Amino acid sequence: MADIARRTEHRYGNRPTMKDVAARAGVGLKTVSRVVNGEPGVTPDTERRVQEAIEALGFRRNDSARVLRKGRTATVGLVLEDLADPFYGPLSRAVEEVARAHGALLINGSSAEDPAREQELALALCARRVDGLIVIPAGDDHRYLEPEIRAGVATVFVDRPAGLIDADAVLSDSFGGARDGVAHLIAHGHRRIGFIGDRPRIHTASERLRGYRAAMEDAGLPVDDAWVSPGSTEPERVRTAVREMLDAAEPVTALFAGNNRVMVTVVRALAERPRPVALVGFDDMELADLLGITVIAQDAAALGRTAAERLFRRLDGVDDVPERVVLGTTLLARGSGEIPPSAG
Amino acid sequence: MADIARRTEHRYGNRPTMKDVAARAGVGLKTVSRVVNGEPGVTPDTERRVQEAIEALGFRRNDSARVLRKGRTATVGLVLEDLADPFYGPLSRAVEEVARAHGALLINGSSAEDPAREQELALALCARRVDGLIVIPAGDDHRYLEPEIRAGVATVFVDRPAGLIDADAVLSDSFGGARDGVAHLIAHGHRRIGFIGDRPRIHTASERLRGYRAAMEDAGLPVDDAWVSPGSTEPERVRTAVREMLDAAEPVTALFAGNNRVMVTVVRALAERPRPVALVGFDDMELADLLGITVIAQDAAALGRTAAERLFRRLDGVDDVPERVVLGTTLLARGSGEIPPSAG
DNA sequence: TAGAGCCTGGACAACGTTGTCACGGGAGGG
DNA sequence: CCCTCCCGTGACAACGTTGTCCAGGCTCTA
């Protein structure tokens, strides 16, 4: 009776264990384990009996116990910034693809751009003993991961580098991409170009701003402070920035949008204005081709794939020094970036 | 020496355990457990000593072992179709949000629309003993999940109903949405309307086709077989369908696109043609507003949120009969659906 | 026919944690 | 002053699996 009670209030409902299977098949515990894991040394006849018992009981191996025993979880964690951001879909998918090829599962969660949440999430994944971690940083101090990395959690940062620790990172060439985009506008005759970006705390954002300034300097053009609007991607702020730059006494004739969210808002804002304004945006998006928006495209899938491959290389025991990989960007000319300056 | 060897080749690198912490703090194992879990009954002084040891060793609780002991993983699985599909981003994010609110993590993976892969993935998640499972079905036979559900894995299907088993499902009103969309076109004077959708094996696809037929019938309009193209969402096939419908002797004057992927291809195909063709698409997308595409919008976030809430309600012990929840859709008129028929 | 070797199968410990229970000491009441 | 009660603490088993090791029975050979 005590036994019945135990079984009844058992936490997994009433999941059969290998012991149950062994009892039913009339074999030893280890023999069941062998069959389940396809290990050699089991007579076809015994194997059949075990399989039947597994079938009859609806047994499924408890991987939690397995993990505890074996030490490897065959699981990698992905901490991203926002699952709903179209940029991260392909990235995440590419990571999953590689993980799958290595027989691993993916746990993920988003930090919602909150450093505290990023840390909480990353450490929760470490507590689950993920074999490796891919992080798209929200914060700029990752020293909290040092003990984990020392303890053997392979870690790769994507899209932005780690802060204050030495770790692998796979990045797009934000600086070069932005410089190329702005140079493209300059080549089409623009002299006064506005830059609207994300908070400069974010590495990619500051790099893109740096790229903007470099392109202007290369062309010997001055940069007016009023043309530069780093800040949040909050739509209202972006709209205000667009308005101020275009309605100034000496308005800008072209805009560079620092990322996809900014770009979307800028496009919406420009759609309401009579005169066309040249625009180049960082990040490609679905349908952007149909709208004729010239963009600096980064290859999100390649970013994810490269990072994941690097991660699994480390998990396979390769142990070279942390490295920073930078992937190139592509300028896709579609019209909006080729609009000439309208007479001031 | 044997001990050193054991530690050295240990699988988690050299992670300290509660035992190590206990030894260093000079307390018992259970006391460490109490401190780590914030249980009462520990002197402030003892607690401080334990905390110091934890700090010094860089201890982090091994949740695998914890799970094994407690039975609950505080993890839910999400099996979706394609992480890169913009429709699933917000859905996935909403699920994560709810999971987070319940203190649970999310493991996910995509089936790539392959039923076999869906099954493999779902069962792998069950082997990890996720507490619950949210599935966007790729296949149409989910009997393989019956033992798991019986064993206590809460399961909710989203976007499409489960096949051959009785389970919770949260769906958009595909039938009603498609009917409304087609009725909208009819209201704007169209008589010959083409339908381009996904494979009819997919529940939503066949429901949308049924909605199309219902709207036509309601208006007393005949449906020519040549106007209906169910099939894959493969771009080349969609382009061919568009061409054939528009270049026929009696061409259609409007198109209804069965989902976002079809819609994108249709928009691209129509952009190359001289005469405007009316279009309504199922699923909204970013930038679709700027392109003036009239759509039947479903609320992906609400879908995910509703499903996740239902899941956690079950996990909290509520045990009502499986139910099917249908969420309404919204027609967003933006121009493309209001184009009148061009003279045939 | 006996000994050696191989092959199948099972007993047992260990993985790191938590629940149960028991123990020792200090406080409070009779 | 002694007994009781409570509180802080720790020993121990258990969760379900896998690695190690040994036993028993078989075959093959001398």
Side-chain angles (χ1 to χ4, degrees), chain A residues 27-28 31 34 42-43 46 68-69:
Chain A
V27 301
T31 302
R34 274 193 267 265
V42 180
T43 323
T46 309
L68 176 60
R69 187 63 233 256

Side-chain angles (χ1 to χ4, degrees), chain B residues 252-275:
Chain B
V252 301
T253 61
L255 287 169
F256 186 85
N259 68 26
N260 57 0
R261 274 166 291 180
V262 168
M263 180 175 83
V264 169
T265 309
V266 169
V267 171
R268 294 219 165 88
L270 292 183
E272 295 163 5
R273 303 189 68 97
R275 206 175 325 179

Side-chain angles (χ1 to χ4, degrees), chain A residues 182-248:
Chain A
V182 174
H184 184 76
L185 289 167
I186 295 171
H188 282 83
H190 296 275
R191 294 289 169 266
R192 296 190 305 278
I193 301 173
F195 176 93
I196 306 183
D198 209 335
R199 286 154 297 152
R201 275 195 41 215
I202 299 174
H203 179 264
T204 49
S206 68
E207 281 294 291
R208 291 170 197 178
L209 177 53
R210 208 163 63 79
Y212 161 83
R213 289 192 189 279
M216 296 295 274
E217 190 170 338
D218 286 353
L221 297 174
V223 173
D224 189 320
D225 277 352
W227 303 345
V228 175
S229 168
S232 79
T233 58
E234 207 264 309
E236 210 30 65
R237 195 198 59 80
V238 173
R239 299 189 92 91
T240 307
V242 169
R243 207 178 318 117
E244 287 176 359
M245 290 187 198
L246 292 178
D247 293 340

Side-chain angles (χ1 to χ4, degrees), chain B residues 310-322:
Chain B
R310 199 159 184 84
L311 187 80
F312 281 100
R313 200 132 42 84
R314 283 209 180 271
L315 287 178
D316 287 345
V318 179
D319 196 27
D320 28 342
V321 292

Side-chain angles (χ1 to χ4, degrees), chain B:
Chain B
M1 204 182 79
D3 191 63
I4 289 176
R6 191 183 69 82
R7 297 301 287 177
T8 301
E9 66 186 23
H10 191 277
R11 335 162 229 274
Y12 296 127
N14 240 334
R15 293 217 96 138
T17 69
M18 285 191 177
K19 203 165 148 188
D20 301 323
V21 174
R24 178 170 182 123
V27 301
L29 178 55
K30 180 66 208 202
T31 301
V32 177
S33 172
R34 274 192 267 263
V35 171
V36 170
N37 295 296
E39 287 170 25
V42 180
T43 320
D45 180 58
T46 311
E47 171 160 3
R48 192 185 41 73
R49 287 216 317 285
V50 171
Q51 287 290 9
E52 279 172 11
I54 288 177
E55 208 67 34
L57 295 174
F59 167 80
R60 184 166 315 284
R61 182 179 63 197
N62 184 334
D63 275 358
S64 288
R66 172 168 224 248
V67 155
L68 175 60
R69 189 61 234 257
K70 302 200 71 130
R72 278 271 176 134
T73 54
T75 305
V76 301
L78 174 60
V79 179
L80 29 79
E81 210 205 306
D82 181 358
L83 262 169
D85 187 321
F87 177 67
Y88 296 117
L91 193 155
S92 175
R93 184 222 177 95
V95 170
E96 196 215 334
E97 214 64 52
V98 176
R100 180 180 147 78
H102 285 81
L105 278 181
L106 192 63
I107 306 193
N108 60 17
S110 28
S111 62
E113 300 191 58
D114 176 357
R117 199 154 148 184
E118 174 208 301
Q119 171 167 352
E120 180 196 346
L121 190 52
L123 290 181
L125 293 172
C126 289
R128 302 281 160 117
R129 295 295 187 269
V130 293
D131 296 335
L133 210 48
I134 295 183
V135 181
I136 298 172
D140 39 21
D141 181 354
H142 296 93
R143 281 174 298 180
Y144 71 89
L145 276 175
E146 260 178 342
E148 309 300 326
I149 294 174
R150 246 201 322 274
V153 181
T155 305
V156 177
F157 291 79
V158 193
D159 191 39
R160 305 168 189 169
L164 306 180
I165 64 171
D166 192 25
D168 282 323
V170 179
L171 315 171
S172 277
D173 184 8
S174 282
F175 171 78
R179 194 189 47 198
D180 293 353
V182 174
H184 184 76
L185 289 167
I186 294 172
H188 282 81
H190 295 275
R191 294 289 169 267
R192 295 191 306 277
I193 302 173
F195 176 93
I196 306 183
D198 209 336
R199 286 154 297 152
R201 276 195 40 216
I202 299 173
H203 179 264
T204 49
S206 68
E207 281 294 290
R208 290 170 197 179
L209 178 53
R210 207 163 62 78
Y212 161 83
R213 290 192 188 279
M216 295 297 272
E217 189 170 339
D218 287 351
L221 297 173
V223 172
D224 190 320
D225 277 352
W227 303 346
V228 175
S229 168
S232 78
T233 57
E234 207 265 308
E236 209 31 64
R237 194 197 60 79
V238 172
R239 299 189 91 91
T240 306
V242 169
R243 206 177 318 116
E244 287 176 359
M245 290 186 198
L246 292 179
D247 294 340
E250 279 211 318
V252 301
T253 61
L255 287 169
F256 186 85
N259 68 26
N260 57 0
R261 274 166 291 180
V262 168
M263 180 175 83
V264 169
T265 309
V266 169
V267 171
R268 294 219 165 88
L270 292 183
E272 295 163 5
R273 303 189 68 97
R275 206 175 325 179
V277 174
L279 169 70
V280 172
F282 211 111
D283 291 343
D284 197 7
M285 289 185 73
E286 194 141 34
L287 300 188
D289 56 334
L290 288 170
L291 284 165
I293 307 174
T294 295
V295 298
I296 306 296
Q298 22 178 354
D299 190 342
L303 227 47
R305 202 181 323 115
T306 309
E309 275 162 2
R310 199 159 184 84
L311 187 80
F312 281 100
R313 200 132 42 84
R314 283 209 180 271
L315 287 178
D316 287 345
V318 179
D319 196 27
D320 28 342
V321 292
E323 206 178 42
R324 187 174 289 196
V325 179
V326 177
L327 303 184
T329 57
T330 316
L331 188 144
L332 301 176
R334 291 175 176 149
S336 78
E338 295 73 45
I339 298 173
S342 57

